[in-house]
Amino acid sequence: MRQAEFGAEETCVRWTEAAGEGPARVYVHGLGSASTVYHAHIAAHAALSGRRSLFVDLPGHGISDRPLDFGYSLEEHADALAAVLDAAGAGGAELVGHSMGGAVAIVLAARRPELVSRLVLAEANLDPNPPVTAGSSGIAAYQEDAFVHGGGFAETLERVGPVWRATMRLADPTALHRTAKGLIRGTQPTMRVMLQNLAVPRTYLLGERSGELAGRAELEAAGVEVRTVPGAGHNIMFDNPEAFVAAIAAA
């Protein structure tokens, strides 16, 4: 385990690392998740092993600190991720981001382009104000106090099911709520516009069971490779790990 300071003094974002050759490959989890849980089996695959791999837990999640004076916006998460890459000497990294982690990766690539050489995005959030679900929009529908102290966190854990619950229950409730609010608020310009304007190679993975991707043709026209992964829903790395590995290995 390694750590780097971000935000307030002595507040740390942490990651675990597997040694290897070549540019670092950095895995970034989604809302209420943890990077090692979602990605260690992917990085260990024969097609990807031997590469330096970083599994980053964003602030408020997993093994990272959860400061109460932190805003948990996408921009602030991206700055914390930049602190990891700076401390690790991992400029020019390949970023593999799932869901919210993909949105954070896009923001980082736009703000610190020297740190990112490639993006692989598994159903990354691209637009603000998504439909109300059990995820970010459902969490953000609560007032912060009601979510943290009024039973909203417990209600959400019941709604999300056992797989997501396993890691979400480890996240800090205040951080989780603020992160969800930041995710539905999005960025200006939006994550979609940032993604279209980036110059690095970009692959967007869409689970077949998730339906159509809004604006797919526009993304492809901007040079984003969009792949539909058969037999998969939102958690592509669990539903079809072979296809997920193949997309990462295709660089």
Side-chain angles (χ1 to χ4, degrees):
M1 183 178 70
R2 299 184 62 189
Q3 64 184 38
E5 290 190 2
F6 74 97
E9 186 178 358
E10 297 183 354
T11 301
C12 291
V13 55
R14 297 185 177 87
W15 70 98
T16 53
E17 183 168 334
E21 302 299 323
R25 185 173 286 133
V26 180
Y27 296 88
V28 191
H29 62 83
L31 180 70
S33 300
S35 280
T36 305
V37 175
Y38 275 67
H39 296 118
H41 66 296
I42 298 299
H45 191 282
L48 300 178
S49 62
R51 186 71 165 269
R52 184 186 183 193
S53 300
L54 281 64
F55 306 92
V56 181
D57 284 345
L58 294 170
H61 294 72
I63 56 177
S64 287
D65 289 343
R66 43 209 65 201
L68 290 176
D69 58 351
F70 190 66
Y72 296 95
S73 68
L74 289 173
E75 293 88 349
E76 288 166 302
H77 278 300
D79 288 346
L81 182 55
V84 169
L85 301 187
D86 286 335
E94 293 185 10
L95 266 58
V96 180
H98 176 229
S99 197
M100 180 201 74
V104 172
I106 292 168
V107 176
L108 175 63
R111 290 163 73 90
R112 295 284 306 276
E114 77 280 5
L115 293 179
V116 181
S117 63
R118 181 174 181 244
L119 292 175
V120 178
L121 308 170
E123 297 211 353
N125 297 78
L126 300 179
D127 304 302
N129 302 312
V132 176
T133 65
S136 59
S137 52
I139 292 170
Y142 292 92
Q143 294 298 315
E144 183 174 304
D145 187 68
F147 183 79
V148 176
H149 303 294
F153 184 41
E155 292 168 2
T156 300
L157 291 177
E158 286 300 313
R159 284 197 299 268
V160 299
V163 174
W164 202 359
R165 183 187 306 130
T167 54
M168 186 180 287
R169 63 192 174 87
L170 305 177
D172 178 78
T174 300
L176 185 65
H177 184 267
R178 292 181 186 175
T179 298
K181 294 284 281 190
L183 188 56
I184 68 162
R185 183 170 59 248
T187 57
Q188 287 295 331
T190 66
M191 299 85 79
R192 180 183 296 271
V193 171
M194 289 184 190
L195 178 61
Q196 290 172 336
N197 290 337
L198 292 172
V200 298
R202 295 146 294 163
T203 300
Y204 189 100
L205 303 180
L206 174 71
E208 180 184 40
R209 299 201 300 264
S210 297
E212 295 299 319
L213 174 63
R216 177 171 184 158
E218 289 79 6
L219 289 172
E220 292 175 329
V224 180
E225 179 191 14
V226 181
R227 294 190 182 192
T228 299
V229 180
H234 187 60
N235 291 331
I236 298 170
M237 70 290 298
F238 295 147
D239 297 335
N240 192 340
E242 290 294 332
F244 193 63
V245 166
I248 298 171

